[in-house]
Amino acid sequence: QVNATLERLGLTERRKQLAGKLSGGWKQRLALAACIMHKPRLLLLDEPTAGVDPKARREFWDQIHMIAADGITVLVSTHYMDEAERCHRINYISQGRLLTGGTVAEVIKNAHLTTVLLEGPDAEVAAERLVRLQGVDQVAPFGAVFRVVGRDRFALKAAVGKATLGLNLSVRDDDTSLEDVFVQLMTTSQESRA
């Protein structure tokens, strides 16, 4: 059983290496091997890839999907939205309260957010204007592009129209991302507690 588990998780070549000498990603993989060796029906993982490099994170998630394909239910907590997108179902919890849940597509759809992208020489000027306007809930830079998100489509479009008037930039609709939803839920949750 031990040899099969080590081989399955790609640890066979490191079997004689002390755990303390392994990198963060390999330590997490070793911990995962220890957790699945007895073939549990449920596996709970609390932010298993925190502090792990991107390549190791991707490989770790490949292992999680392999385990799930074997019929083990895997419950993972993560603050990385690219990891949440890999899950079959997700739930957002804040301060012990369930805010929403479902498939990634359901969570995004049920958030009822509108997302617009601003790109061009004057995008930063428009972004600075937008943060003060009604109907705009988020303005976030992504490289040379700014993502603008709001709950009210018409108010957001009016704000974008006002803020971009006379500026040199392109404005286009975009799909709302899981990260947009997460930021919105966390912001709304914090506002409701205040």
Side-chain angles (χ1 to χ4, degrees), residues 130-139 148-150 155-156 159-160:
L130 281 163
V131 294
R132 296 184 295 268
L133 297 179
Q134 188 172 5
V136 177
D137 294 315
Q138 303 173 41
V139 178
V148 184
V149 180
L156 178 70
V160 169

Side-chain angles (χ1 to χ4, degrees), residues 49-62:
T49 60
V52 175
D53 71 78
K55 182 178 183 297
R57 281 178 57 209
R58 181 174 287 174
E59 290 170 353
F60 195 85
W61 273 91
D62 290 344

Side-chain angles (χ1 to χ4, degrees), residues 14 68 142 166:
R14 298 179 183 271
F142 281 81

